[in-house]
Coordinates of all heavy atoms in Angstrom, one line a residue:
M64 N 29.8 5.1 -34.1 CA 30.7 6.1 -34.5 C 30.5 7.3 -33.5 O 29.4 7.6 -33.2 CB 30.4 6.6 -35.9 CG 31.3 7.7 -36.4 SD 31.0 8.4 -38.0 CE 30.5 7.0 -39.0
R65 N 31.7 7.9 -33.2 CA 31.7 9.1 -32.3 C 32.2 10.2 -33.1 O 33.0 10.1 -34.0 CB 32.6 8.9 -31.1 CG 32.0 7.9 -30.1 CD 32.8 7.7 -28.9 NE 33.1 9.0 -28.2 CZ 32.3 9.7 -27.4 NH1 31.1 9.2 -27.2 NH2 32.6 10.8 -26.8
L66 N 31.6 11.4 -32.8 CA 31.9 12.6 -33.5 C 32.3 13.7 -32.5 O 31.8 13.7 -31.4 CB 30.7 13.1 -34.4 CG 30.2 12.2 -35.5 CD1 29.0 12.8 -36.1 CD2 31.3 11.8 -36.5
R67 N 33.1 14.6 -33.0 CA 33.4 15.9 -32.3 C 32.9 17.0 -33.1 O 33.3 17.1 -34.3 CB 34.8 16.0 -32.0 CG 35.2 17.4 -31.3 CD 36.7 17.6 -31.1 NE 37.2 16.6 -30.2 CZ 38.2 15.7 -30.5 NH1 38.8 15.8 -31.7 NH2 38.6 14.8 -29.7
V68 N 32.1 18.0 -32.6 CA 31.7 19.2 -33.3 C 32.4 20.4 -32.6 O 32.4 20.4 -31.4 CB 30.2 19.3 -33.3 CG1 29.5 19.4 -32.0 CG2 29.8 20.5 -34.2
E69 N 32.9 21.2 -33.4 CA 33.4 22.5 -32.9 C 32.6 23.6 -33.7 O 32.5 23.5 -34.9 CB 34.9 22.7 -33.2 CG 35.8 21.6 -32.7 CD 37.2 21.7 -33.1 OE1 37.8 22.8 -33.2 OE2 37.7 20.6 -33.5
F70 N 32.1 24.6 -33.0 CA 31.3 25.6 -33.6 C 31.4 27.0 -33.0 O 31.8 27.1 -31.8 CB 29.9 25.2 -33.7 CG 29.2 25.2 -32.4 CD1 28.5 26.3 -31.9 CD2 29.2 24.1 -31.6 CE1 27.8 26.3 -30.7 CE2 28.6 24.1 -30.3 CZ 27.9 25.2 -29.9
T71 N 31.2 28.0 -33.8 CA 31.0 29.4 -33.3 C 29.8 30.0 -34.0 O 29.5 29.6 -35.1 CB 32.2 30.3 -33.6 OG1 32.5 30.3 -35.0 CG2 33.4 29.8 -32.9
T72 N 29.2 30.9 -33.4 CA 28.1 31.7 -34.0 C 28.5 33.1 -34.0 O 29.2 33.6 -33.1 CB 26.7 31.5 -33.3 OG1 26.9 32.0 -31.9 CG2 26.3 30.0 -33.3
E73 N 28.0 33.8 -35.0 CA 28.3 35.3 -35.1 C 27.0 36.0 -35.4 O 26.1 35.4 -35.9 CB 29.3 35.5 -36.3 CG 30.6 34.8 -36.0 CD 31.6 35.0 -37.2 OE1 31.6 36.1 -37.8 OE2 32.3 34.1 -37.5
P74 N 27.0 37.3 -35.1 CA 28.1 38.2 -34.7 C 28.4 38.1 -33.3 O 27.6 37.7 -32.4 CB 27.5 39.6 -35.0 CG 26.0 39.4 -34.9 CD 25.7 38.0 -35.3
F75 N 29.7 38.4 -33.0 CA 30.2 38.3 -31.6 C 29.7 39.6 -30.8 O 29.6 40.6 -31.4 CB 31.7 38.3 -31.6 CG 32.3 37.1 -32.2 CD1 33.1 37.1 -33.3 CD2 32.2 35.9 -31.6 CE1 33.6 36.0 -33.9 CE2 32.7 34.7 -32.1 CZ 33.4 34.8 -33.3
D76 N 29.6 39.4 -29.6 CA 29.4 40.6 -28.7 C 30.2 40.2 -27.4 O 29.8 39.3 -26.7 CB 27.9 40.8 -28.4 CG 27.6 42.0 -27.5 OD1 28.5 42.5 -26.8 OD2 26.5 42.4 -27.5
L77 N 31.2 41.0 -27.1 CA 32.1 40.7 -26.0 C 31.5 41.1 -24.6 O 31.9 40.7 -23.6 CB 33.4 41.3 -26.2 CG 34.2 40.7 -27.3 CD1 35.6 41.5 -27.5 CD2 34.5 39.2 -27.2
D78 N 30.5 42.0 -24.7 CA 29.9 42.5 -23.5 C 28.8 41.6 -22.9 O 28.6 41.5 -21.7 CB 29.3 43.9 -23.7 CG 30.4 45.0 -24.0 OD1 31.5 44.8 -23.4 OD2 30.1 45.9 -24.8
E79 N 28.0 41.0 -23.8 CA 26.9 40.2 -23.4 C 26.7 39.1 -24.5 O 26.7 39.4 -25.7 CB 25.6 41.0 -23.3 CG 24.4 40.3 -22.8 CD 23.2 41.2 -22.6 OE1 23.4 42.4 -22.3 OE2 22.1 40.7 -22.6
A80 N 26.4 37.9 -24.0 CA 26.2 36.8 -25.0 C 24.9 37.1 -25.8 O 23.9 37.3 -25.2 CB 26.1 35.5 -24.3
P81 N 25.1 37.1 -27.1 CA 23.9 37.3 -28.0 C 22.9 36.1 -27.9 O 23.3 35.0 -27.5 CB 24.4 37.4 -29.4 CG 25.9 37.4 -29.3 CD 26.3 36.9 -27.9
A82 N 21.6 36.4 -28.2 CA 20.6 35.4 -28.1 C 21.0 34.1 -28.9 O 20.7 33.0 -28.4 CB 19.3 35.9 -28.6
H83 N 21.6 34.3 -30.1 CA 21.9 33.1 -30.9 C 23.0 32.2 -30.2 O 22.9 31.0 -30.3 CB 22.3 33.5 -32.3 CG 23.5 34.4 -32.4 ND1 24.8 34.0 -32.2 CD2 23.6 35.8 -32.5 CE1 25.6 35.0 -32.3 NE2 24.9 36.1 -32.5
A84 N 23.9 32.9 -29.5 CA 24.9 32.1 -28.8 C 24.3 31.4 -27.6 O 24.7 30.2 -27.4 CB 26.0 33.0 -28.3
V85 N 23.4 32.0 -26.9 CA 22.7 31.3 -25.8 C 22.0 30.1 -26.3 O 22.0 29.0 -25.7 CB 21.8 32.3 -25.0 CG1 21.0 31.7 -24.0 CG2 22.7 33.5 -24.4
V86 N 21.2 30.3 -27.4 CA 20.4 29.2 -27.9 C 21.3 28.0 -28.3 O 21.1 26.9 -28.0 CB 19.6 29.7 -29.1 CG1 19.1 28.5 -29.9 CG2 18.5 30.6 -28.7
A87 N 22.4 28.3 -29.0 CA 23.4 27.3 -29.4 C 23.9 26.5 -28.3 O 24.0 25.3 -28.3 CB 24.5 27.9 -30.3
R88 N 24.3 27.2 -27.2 CA 24.9 26.6 -26.0 C 23.8 25.7 -25.3 O 24.2 24.7 -24.8 CB 25.5 27.6 -25.1 CG 26.7 28.3 -25.7 CD 27.3 29.3 -24.8 NE 28.4 30.0 -25.5 CZ 28.7 31.2 -25.3 NH1 28.1 31.9 -24.4 NH2 29.8 31.7 -25.9
E89 N 22.6 26.2 -25.2 CA 21.6 25.4 -24.6 C 21.3 24.1 -25.3 O 21.0 23.1 -24.7 CB 20.3 26.3 -24.5 CG 20.3 27.4 -23.5 CD 19.1 28.3 -23.5 OE1 18.3 28.2 -24.4 OE2 19.0 29.1 -22.5
I90 N 21.4 24.2 -26.7 CA 21.2 23.0 -27.5 C 22.3 21.9 -27.2 O 21.9 20.8 -26.9 CB 21.1 23.3 -29.0 CG1 19.8 24.1 -29.3 CG2 21.2 22.1 -29.8 CD1 19.8 24.7 -30.6
V91 N 23.5 22.3 -27.2 CA 24.6 21.3 -27.0 C 24.6 20.8 -25.5 O 24.9 19.7 -25.3 CB 26.0 21.8 -27.4 CG1 26.0 22.0 -28.9 CG2 26.5 23.0 -26.7
T92 N 24.3 21.7 -24.6 CA 24.4 21.3 -23.2 C 23.2 20.4 -22.9 O 23.2 19.6 -22.0 CB 24.4 22.5 -22.2 OG1 23.3 23.3 -22.4 CG2 25.8 23.2 -22.3
G93 N 22.1 20.5 -23.6 CA 20.9 19.7 -23.4 C 20.8 18.5 -24.2 O 19.8 17.7 -24.1
A94 N 21.8 18.2 -25.1 CA 21.7 17.1 -26.0 C 22.3 15.8 -25.6 O 22.5 14.9 -26.3 CB 22.4 17.5 -27.3
E95 N 22.6 15.7 -24.3 CA 23.2 14.5 -23.7 C 24.5 14.1 -24.5 O 24.8 12.9 -24.8 CB 22.2 13.4 -23.7 CG 21.0 13.6 -22.8 CD 20.1 12.5 -22.8 OE1 20.5 11.3 -22.9 OE2 18.9 12.7 -22.6
L96 N 25.4 15.1 -24.7 CA 26.7 14.9 -25.4 C 27.7 14.8 -24.3 O 27.6 15.3 -23.2 CB 27.0 16.0 -26.4 CG 25.9 16.2 -27.5 CD1 26.3 17.4 -28.4 CD2 25.9 14.9 -28.4
D97 N 28.9 14.2 -24.7 CA 30.0 14.1 -23.8 C 31.0 15.3 -24.0 O 31.0 15.9 -25.1 CB 30.8 12.8 -24.1 CG 29.9 11.6 -24.0 OD1 28.9 11.6 -23.2 OD2 30.1 10.7 -24.9
A98 N 31.8 15.6 -23.0 CA 32.9 16.6 -23.1 C 32.4 17.9 -23.7 O 33.1 18.4 -24.7 CB 34.0 15.9 -23.9
V99 N 31.3 18.4 -23.3 CA 30.9 19.7 -23.8 C 31.7 20.8 -23.1 O 31.9 20.9 -21.9 CB 29.4 19.9 -23.4 CG1 28.9 21.3 -23.8 CG2 28.5 18.9 -24.1
D100 N 32.2 21.7 -24.0 CA 33.0 22.8 -23.5 C 32.5 24.1 -24.3 O 32.6 24.2 -25.5 CB 34.5 22.6 -23.8 CG 35.4 23.7 -23.3 OD1 35.0 24.4 -22.3 OD2 36.5 23.9 -23.9
V101 N 32.0 25.0 -23.5 CA 31.5 26.3 -24.2 C 32.3 27.4 -23.7 O 32.8 27.5 -22.6 CB 30.0 26.5 -23.9 CG1 29.1 25.4 -24.4 CG2 29.7 26.6 -22.4
G102 N 32.6 28.3 -24.6 CA 33.4 29.5 -24.3 C 33.0 30.7 -25.2 O 32.2 30.5 -26.2
P103 N 33.6 31.8 -25.0 CA 33.2 33.0 -25.8 C 33.6 33.0 -27.2 O 33.0 33.6 -28.1 CB 33.9 34.2 -25.0 CG 35.0 33.5 -24.4 CD 34.6 32.1 -24.0
F104 N 34.6 32.2 -27.6 CA 35.1 32.2 -29.0 C 35.0 30.9 -29.7 O 35.4 30.7 -30.8 CB 36.6 32.7 -29.0 CG 36.7 34.1 -28.5 CD1 37.3 34.3 -27.3 CD2 36.2 35.2 -29.2 CE1 37.4 35.6 -26.8 CE2 36.3 36.4 -28.7 CZ 36.9 36.7 -27.5
G105 N 34.5 29.9 -29.0 CA 34.3 28.6 -29.6 C 33.7 27.6 -28.6 O 33.8 27.7 -27.4
N106 N 33.1 26.5 -29.2 CA 32.4 25.5 -28.4 C 32.7 24.2 -29.0 O 32.8 24.0 -30.2 CB 30.9 25.8 -28.5 CG 30.6 27.2 -28.1 OD1 30.5 27.6 -27.0 ND2 30.3 28.0 -29.1
T107 N 32.9 23.2 -28.1 CA 33.1 21.8 -28.6 C 32.2 20.9 -27.8 O 31.8 21.1 -26.7 CB 34.6 21.4 -28.5 OG1 34.9 21.4 -27.1 CG2 35.5 22.2 -29.3
A108 N 31.9 19.7 -28.5 CA 31.1 18.7 -27.8 C 31.4 17.4 -28.6 O 31.7 17.4 -29.8 CB 29.6 19.0 -27.8
E109 N 31.4 16.3 -27.9 CA 31.6 15.0 -28.4 C 30.4 14.1 -28.1 O 29.8 14.3 -27.1 CB 32.9 14.3 -27.9 CG 34.1 15.1 -28.2 CD 35.4 14.5 -27.6 OE1 35.3 13.4 -27.0 OE2 36.4 15.1 -27.7
G110 N 30.2 13.1 -28.9 CA 29.2 12.1 -28.6 C 28.9 11.1 -29.7 O 29.5 11.2 -30.8
D111 N 27.9 10.3 -29.5 CA 27.4 9.4 -30.5 C 27.0 10.2 -31.7 O 26.4 11.3 -31.6 CB 26.2 8.7 -29.8 CG 25.5 7.8 -30.8 OD1 25.9 6.7 -31.1 OD2 24.4 8.3 -31.3
A112 N 27.3 9.6 -32.9 CA 27.0 10.3 -34.1 C 25.6 10.8 -34.3 O 25.3 11.9 -34.7 CB 27.4 9.4 -35.3
D113 N 24.6 10.0 -33.9 CA 23.2 10.4 -34.0 C 22.9 11.6 -33.2 O 22.2 12.5 -33.6 CB 22.2 9.2 -33.7 CG 22.2 8.2 -34.8 OD1 22.6 8.5 -35.9 OD2 21.9 7.0 -34.4
R114 N 23.4 11.6 -31.9 CA 23.1 12.7 -31.0 C 23.8 14.0 -31.5 O 23.3 15.1 -31.5 CB 23.6 12.4 -29.6 CG 22.6 11.4 -29.0 CD 22.9 11.2 -27.5 NE 21.9 10.3 -27.0 CZ 22.1 9.7 -25.8 NH1 23.2 10.0 -25.1 NH2 21.2 8.9 -25.3
V115 N 25.1 13.9 -32.0 CA 25.8 15.0 -32.4 C 25.1 15.6 -33.7 O 24.9 16.8 -33.8 CB 27.3 14.7 -32.7 CG1 28.0 15.8 -33.5 CG2 28.0 14.4 -31.4
L116 N 24.8 14.8 -34.6 CA 24.2 15.3 -35.8 C 22.8 15.9 -35.6 O 22.4 16.9 -36.2 CB 24.1 14.1 -36.9 CG 25.4 13.6 -37.4 CD1 25.2 12.4 -38.3 CD2 26.2 14.7 -38.1
G117 N 22.0 15.3 -34.6 CA 20.8 15.9 -34.3 C 21.0 17.3 -33.6 O 20.2 18.2 -33.9
A118 N 22.0 17.4 -32.8 CA 22.3 18.7 -32.1 C 22.7 19.7 -33.1 O 22.3 20.9 -33.1 CB 23.3 18.5 -31.0
V119 N 23.5 19.3 -34.1 CA 24.0 20.2 -35.1 C 22.8 20.7 -36.0 O 22.7 21.9 -36.2 CB 25.1 19.5 -36.1 CG1 25.3 20.3 -37.3 CG2 26.4 19.3 -35.3
G120 N 21.9 19.9 -36.3 CA 20.7 20.3 -37.1 C 19.9 21.3 -36.3 O 19.5 22.4 -36.8
A121 N 19.7 21.0 -35.0 CA 18.9 22.0 -34.2 C 19.7 23.3 -34.0 O 19.1 24.4 -34.0 CB 18.6 21.3 -32.8
L122 N 21.0 23.1 -33.8 CA 21.8 24.3 -33.6 C 21.8 25.3 -34.8 O 21.6 26.5 -34.6 CB 23.3 23.8 -33.3 CG 24.3 24.9 -33.0 CD1 25.4 24.3 -32.1 CD2 25.0 25.4 -34.3
L123 N 21.9 24.7 -36.0 CA 21.8 25.5 -37.2 C 20.5 26.2 -37.3 O 20.4 27.5 -37.5 CB 22.1 24.7 -38.4 CG 23.5 24.2 -38.6 CD1 23.6 23.2 -39.7 CD2 24.5 25.4 -38.8
R124 N 19.4 25.5 -37.2 CA 18.1 26.1 -37.4 C 17.8 27.1 -36.3 O 17.4 28.2 -36.6 CB 17.0 25.0 -37.3 CG 16.8 24.2 -38.6 CD 15.6 23.2 -38.5 NE 15.7 22.3 -37.4 CZ 16.4 21.2 -37.4 NH1 17.1 20.8 -38.5 NH2 16.4 20.4 -36.4
Q125 N 18.0 26.8 -35.1 CA 17.5 27.6 -34.0 C 18.5 28.8 -33.8 O 18.0 29.9 -33.4 CB 17.4 26.8 -32.7 CG 16.2 25.8 -32.8 CD 16.1 25.0 -31.6 OE1 16.3 25.5 -30.4 NE2 15.7 23.8 -31.7
S126 N 19.8 28.7 -34.0 CA 20.6 29.9 -33.8 C 20.5 30.9 -34.9 O 20.5 32.1 -34.7 CB 22.1 29.4 -33.7 OG 22.6 28.8 -34.8
L127 N 20.2 30.4 -36.2 CA 19.9 31.3 -37.3 C 18.6 32.0 -37.0 O 18.5 33.2 -37.2 CB 19.9 30.6 -38.6 CG 21.2 30.0 -39.1 CD1 21.1 29.1 -40.3 CD2 22.2 31.2 -39.4
E128 N 17.6 31.3 -36.5 CA 16.3 31.9 -36.2 C 16.5 33.0 -35.0 O 15.7 33.9 -35.0 CB 15.3 30.9 -35.7 CG 14.8 30.0 -36.9 CD 13.9 28.8 -36.4 OE1 13.7 28.7 -35.2 OE2 13.5 28.0 -37.3
A129 N 17.5 32.8 -34.2 CA 17.7 33.7 -33.1 C 18.6 34.8 -33.4 O 19.0 35.6 -32.5 CB 18.2 32.9 -31.9
G130 N 19.0 35.0 -34.7 CA 19.7 36.1 -35.1 C 21.2 35.9 -35.5 O 21.8 36.9 -35.9
A131 N 21.7 34.7 -35.5 CA 23.0 34.5 -36.0 C 23.1 34.8 -37.5 O 22.1 34.5 -38.3 CB 23.4 33.0 -35.8
T132 N 24.1 35.4 -37.9 CA 24.3 35.7 -39.3 C 25.4 34.8 -40.0 O 25.5 34.8 -41.2 CB 24.8 37.2 -39.5 OG1 26.0 37.4 -38.8 CG2 23.8 38.2 -39.1
R133 N 26.1 34.0 -39.1 CA 27.0 33.1 -39.6 C 27.2 32.0 -38.5 O 27.3 32.3 -37.3 CB 28.4 33.8 -39.9 CG 29.5 32.8 -40.3 CD 30.7 33.6 -40.6 NE 31.8 32.8 -41.1 CZ 32.6 33.1 -42.0 NH1 32.6 34.3 -42.5 NH2 33.5 32.3 -42.4
V134 N 27.3 30.8 -38.9 CA 27.6 29.7 -38.0 C 28.7 28.9 -38.7 O 28.6 28.4 -39.8 CB 26.4 28.7 -37.8 CG1 26.8 27.6 -36.9 CG2 25.2 29.5 -37.3
S135 N 29.9 28.8 -38.0 CA 31.0 28.1 -38.5 C 31.1 26.8 -37.7 O 31.0 26.8 -36.4 CB 32.3 28.9 -38.3 OG 32.2 30.1 -39.0
L136 N 31.2 25.7 -38.4 CA 31.4 24.4 -37.6 C 32.2 23.4 -38.4 O 32.4 23.5 -39.6 CB 30.0 23.8 -37.3 CG 29.1 23.3 -38.4 CD1 29.3 21.8 -38.6 CD2 27.7 23.6 -38.0
Q137 N 32.8 22.6 -37.6 CA 33.6 21.5 -38.1 C 33.2 20.2 -37.3 O 33.0 20.2 -36.1 CB 35.1 21.8 -37.8 CG 36.0 20.7 -38.3 CD 37.5 21.1 -38.1 OE1 37.8 22.3 -38.5 NE2 38.3 20.2 -37.7
V138 N 33.0 19.1 -38.1 CA 32.7 17.9 -37.5 C 33.8 16.8 -37.8 O 34.1 16.7 -39.0 CB 31.3 17.4 -38.0 CG1 31.0 16.0 -37.4 CG2 30.2 18.4 -37.6
N139 N 34.3 16.2 -36.8 CA 35.3 15.2 -37.0 C 34.9 13.8 -36.4 O 34.3 13.8 -35.4 CB 36.6 15.6 -36.3 CG 37.2 16.8 -36.9 OD1 37.5 16.8 -38.1 ND2 37.4 17.8 -36.1
V140 N 35.3 12.8 -37.1 CA 35.2 11.4 -36.5 C 36.3 11.2 -35.5 O 37.4 11.6 -35.8 CB 35.2 10.4 -37.6 CG1 35.2 9.0 -37.0 CG2 34.1 10.6 -38.7
I141 N 36.0 10.7 -34.4 CA 37.0 10.5 -33.3 C 37.0 9.0 -33.0 O 36.0 8.3 -33.2 CB 36.8 11.4 -32.1 CG1 35.4 11.2 -31.5 CG2 36.9 12.9 -32.4 CD1 35.2 11.9 -30.2
A142 N 38.1 8.6 -32.4 CA 38.3 7.2 -32.0 C 37.3 6.9 -30.9 O 37.0 7.7 -30.0 CB 39.7 7.0 -31.5
D143 N 36.7 5.7 -31.0 CA 35.8 5.2 -30.0 C 36.4 4.0 -29.4 O 36.4 2.9 -30.0 CB 34.4 4.9 -30.7 CG 33.4 4.5 -29.7 OD1 33.7 4.2 -28.5 OD2 32.2 4.4 -30.1
D144 N 37.0 4.1 -28.2 CA 37.7 3.0 -27.6 C 36.8 1.8 -27.4 O 37.2 0.7 -27.4 CB 38.2 3.5 -26.2 CG 39.3 4.5 -26.4 OD1 40.0 4.5 -27.4 OD2 39.5 5.3 -25.4
R145 N 35.5 2.0 -27.3 CA 34.5 0.9 -27.1 C 34.5 0.0 -28.4 O 34.2 -1.1 -28.3 CB 33.1 1.4 -26.8 CG 33.1 2.1 -25.5 CD 31.7 2.8 -25.3 NE 31.6 3.8 -26.3 CZ 30.7 4.7 -26.4 NH1 29.7 4.6 -25.6 NH2 30.6 5.6 -27.4
Q146 N 34.8 0.6 -29.6 CA 34.7 -0.1 -30.8 C 36.1 -0.5 -31.2 O 36.3 -1.3 -32.2 CB 34.1 0.7 -31.9 CG 32.6 1.0 -31.7 CD 32.1 1.9 -32.7 OE1 32.7 2.3 -33.7 NE2 30.8 2.2 -32.6
G147 N 37.2 0.0 -30.6 CA 38.5 -0.3 -31.0 C 38.9 0.3 -32.4 O 39.9 0.0 -32.9
G148 N 38.1 1.3 -32.9 CA 38.4 1.9 -34.2 C 39.3 3.1 -34.1 O 39.5 3.7 -33.0
A149 N 39.9 3.5 -35.2 CA 40.7 4.6 -35.2 C 40.0 5.8 -36.0 O 39.3 5.5 -36.9 CB 42.1 4.3 -36.0
A150 N 40.3 7.0 -35.5 CA 39.6 8.1 -36.2 C 40.2 8.4 -37.5 O 41.4 8.2 -37.7 CB 39.7 9.3 -35.2
E151 N 39.4 8.9 -38.4 CA 39.9 9.3 -39.7 C 40.9 10.5 -39.6 O 41.8 10.6 -40.4 CB 38.8 9.7 -40.6 CG 37.9 8.6 -41.0 CD 36.7 9.0 -41.9 OE1 36.8 10.1 -42.4 OE2 35.8 8.2 -42.0
D152 N 40.8 11.4 -38.6 CA 41.6 12.5 -38.5 C 42.9 12.3 -37.7 O 43.6 13.2 -37.4 CB 40.8 13.7 -37.9 CG 40.4 13.5 -36.5 OD1 40.4 12.3 -36.0 OD2 40.0 14.5 -35.8
E153 N 43.2 11.1 -37.3 CA 44.4 10.8 -36.5 C 45.5 10.4 -37.4 O 46.6 10.0 -36.9 CB 44.1 9.8 -35.5 CG 43.1 10.3 -34.4 CD 42.9 9.4 -33.3 OE1 43.6 8.3 -33.2 OE2 42.0 9.6 -32.4
G154 N 45.4 10.5 -38.7 CA 46.6 10.2 -39.6 C 46.7 8.7 -39.9 O 46.0 7.9 -39.5
D155 N 47.7 8.5 -40.8 CA 48.0 7.2 -41.3 C 48.8 6.4 -40.3 O 49.7 6.9 -39.8 CB 48.8 7.3 -42.6 CG 48.8 6.0 -43.4 OD1 48.7 4.9 -42.8 OD2 49.1 6.1 -44.6
A156 N 48.4 5.2 -40.1 CA 49.1 4.3 -39.1 C 50.2 3.5 -39.7 O 50.6 2.5 -39.0 CB 48.0 3.5 -38.4
T157 N 50.6 3.7 -40.8 CA 51.7 2.9 -41.5 C 53.0 3.3 -41.0 O 53.3 4.3 -40.5 CB 51.7 3.0 -43.0 OG1 51.8 4.4 -43.3 CG2 50.4 2.5 -43.5

């Protein structure tokens, strides 16, 4: 199974990336995930379910320890062409 995670950490600081944001980004970029996209207002990454879930656990623990007061995230199952499966979030195929 493949997953996509989208997340943000708060509080925001537009002048300089807060420590919690830096920690979160380092976790996803170092987790051997696919299609990692980091930005000032949101971050996404895709990959194997075990790697994504492991990264999410580390992201939550370490970004909160680094000063995040809120972590918003969404995890979606995505189509895996290698398995020929359809994603749950792609709607009804009828």
Side-chain angles (χ1 to χ4, degrees):
M64 177 186 321
R65 289 184 53 80
L66 301 176
R67 175 184 299 122
V68 62
E69 302 173 45
F70 69 92
T71 58
T72 61
E73 297 179 38
F75 294 115
D76 183 341
L77 296 177
D78 295 326
E79 185 176 333
H83 59 80
V85 173
V86 166
R88 290 178 186 153
E89 288 174 351
I90 290 167
V91 295
T92 57
E95 298 183 29
L96 300 175
D97 307 324
V99 175
D100 183 26
V101 296
F104 300 108
N106 308 281
T107 61
E109 299 177 5
D111 173 76
D113 288 336
R114 287 189 178 164
V115 170
L116 294 173
V119 166
L122 183 149
L123 289 170
R124 281 188 302 278
Q125 293 179 34
S126 62
L127 292 169
E128 289 172 359
T132 58
R133 179 180 183 142
V134 179
S135 301
L136 66 92
Q137 180 173 317
V138 178
N139 294 304
V140 175
I141 58 174
D143 187 348
D144 293 335
R145 295 171 295 186
Q146 296 176 358
E151 291 178 15
D152 65 342
E153 291 184 8
D155 191 337
T157 56

